[in-house]
Amino acid sequence: APAYENIKVDVVGAKKNVALIQLNRPKALNALCGPLFVELGQAVRDFDADDSVAAIVITGNEKAFAAGADIKEMQNNTYSGNHKKGFLKDWEDISNCGKPIIAAVNGFALGGGCELAMLCDIIYAGEKAKFGQPEINIGTIPGAGGTQRLPRYVGKSKAMEIVLTGNFIDAAEAERMGLVSRVFPVDKLLEETIKLAERIGTHSPLIVKMAKAAVNQAYETTLKSGLLFEKSYFYGTFATADRQEGMSAFVEKRPPNFKNE
Ligand code: CO8
């Protein structure tokens, strides 16, 4: 694996099919500086291309998942400079990943950190997690999906409240709002998240990828074209060996043996 400075990568789980990416700038509460994002994009692209990996988990540490964009790095950015260098363009590597990405959030997930969690497909949180979009406190607004993805998770009134106040919400509230799907004790979070990834990893990787792409349509298009996309992918599964194997195994009362074909 490439030598990373701002993240740590590992492959975990009983079958060694879960990629684990840990954000690793603990002294800066994992603030998302440019070099970190380049490394994160590279790691996600590599794991997406690796057939032995079923799903990817992104985590931080107990104090912080990530406390946002690196304020010290961007404080002297300019409007024209942001345009010229395409500030934040590296984020697209994460949304382009075909495999499931699960965020395991302990501690702060603020600003870009909350947006990174929302870019993932599933968010699990530890009991002490804190989410927020505090950009308004420092004279800017969310820049990596906070004004667009957050309302899709929690609705307009709650999203407005979070974005306009900069207030933090705790894990229990985030679960009630539907921002996170489950909350665990701090020391159980990572193990439970890896279990979820392993469970996903028991299925056909090809079909998992199609299911992920179909659910994402619900966030990216109209109901009518989303349903059309779903139907064509659903029909499409009938062209795969894994669909045939799954149904045969059910009828023959045996476990399926998926081939990613
Ligand atoms: N950027 C740079 N450094 C940070 C950041 C950050 N976002 N957050 C914390 N740090 C640093 C602190 O400066 C401090 O460093 P030092 O020891 O050198 O002074 C160290 O991390 C520890 O932080 P604190 O001493 O502040 O720790 P506390 O426990 O007292 O407070 C908080 C924790 C409440 C999380 C506090 O650190 C805080 O408010 N951080 C900033 C949160 C924030 O405003 N985030 C939004 C940033 S803007 C943003 O994300 C825009 C999104 C654009 C797209 C995303 C691009 C990647």
Side-chain angles (χ1 to χ4, degrees):
Y4 292 124
E5 284 176 20
N6 299 286
I7 60 173
K8 286 186 190 168
V9 299
D10 200 358
V11 181
V12 298
K15 293 186 178 159
K16 295 279 176 207
N17 63 350
V18 177
L20 178 63
I21 301 175
Q22 187 185 17
L23 309 179
N24 190 32
R25 293 186 76 208
K27 286 188 190 130
L29 303 185
N30 289 332
L32 303 165
C33 61
L36 183 151
F37 240 89
V38 171
E39 293 182 7
L40 185 58
Q42 168 87 44
V44 166
R45 264 183 289 137
D46 288 351
F47 286 132
D48 197 26
D50 180 344
D51 277 344
S52 69
V53 168
I56 300 167
V57 172
I58 300 180
T59 195
N61 56 52
E62 283 196 10
K63 171 122 201 223
F65 177 73
D70 190 318
I71 299 169
K72 293 169 190 165
E73 183 187 61
M74 74 180 161
Q75 71 169 322
N76 297 317
N77 275 19
T78 62
Y79 174 73
S80 58
N82 287 344
H83 267 289
K84 284 188 222 162
K85 63 178 198 249
F87 184 44
L88 306 179
K89 69 176 174 344
D90 297 315
W91 288 62
E92 284 162 26
D93 285 332
I94 295 166
S95 37
N96 289 336
C97 179
K99 286 177 187 168
I101 308 182
I102 310 160
V105 176
N106 265 327
F108 295 112
L110 304 176
C114 188
E115 292 169 310
L116 173 60
M118 290 191 288
L119 266 176
C120 297
D121 301 302
I122 300 172
I123 307 176
Y124 272 12
E127 276 165 351
K128 299 212 169 114
K130 294 245 186 285
F131 296 83
Q133 297 289 160
E135 289 88 346
I136 200 92
N137 294 329
I138 56 168
T140 185
I141 72 168
T147 69
Q148 301 302 302
R149 289 198 179 90
L150 190 59
R152 285 167 164 83
Y153 277 94
V154 305
K156 179 176 171 180
S157 180
K158 287 185 193 301
M160 279 291 188
E161 200 180 320
I162 292 166
V163 170
L164 300 186
T165 63
N167 291 346
F168 301 164
I169 56 170
D170 64 24
E173 204 178 347
E175 186 183 23
R176 275 199 303 278
M177 287 179 180
L179 178 60
V180 315
S181 58
R182 282 171 210 273
V183 177
F184 297 98
V186 171
D187 60 345
K188 290 276 178 286
L189 171 68
L190 192 57
E191 130 193 9
E192 292 291 340
T193 309
I194 292 167
K195 267 196 228 161
L196 170 68
E198 289 183 293
R199 171 73 182 130
I200 294 169
T202 64
H203 303 307
S204 161
L206 176 63
I207 306 298
V208 165
K209 198 169 180 172
M210 293 172 81
K212 167 174 167 165
V215 173
N216 273 336
Q217 290 296 308
Y219 285 87
E220 287 161 12
T221 188
T222 61
L223 180 61
K224 193 170 177 184
S225 59
L227 288 169
L228 199 63
F229 184 97
E230 179 191 73
K231 194 69 95 245
S232 71
Y233 263 36
F234 170 67
Y235 287 174
T237 63
F238 285 74
T240 69
D242 282 349
R243 193 283 311 170
Q244 197 167 28
E245 168 62 11
M247 292 191 184
S248 301
F250 177 82
V251 171
E252 292 160 18
K253 301 187 189 294
R254 59 172 177 82
N257 179 16
F258 293 122
K259 296 278 202 295
N260 197 18
E261 297 282 339

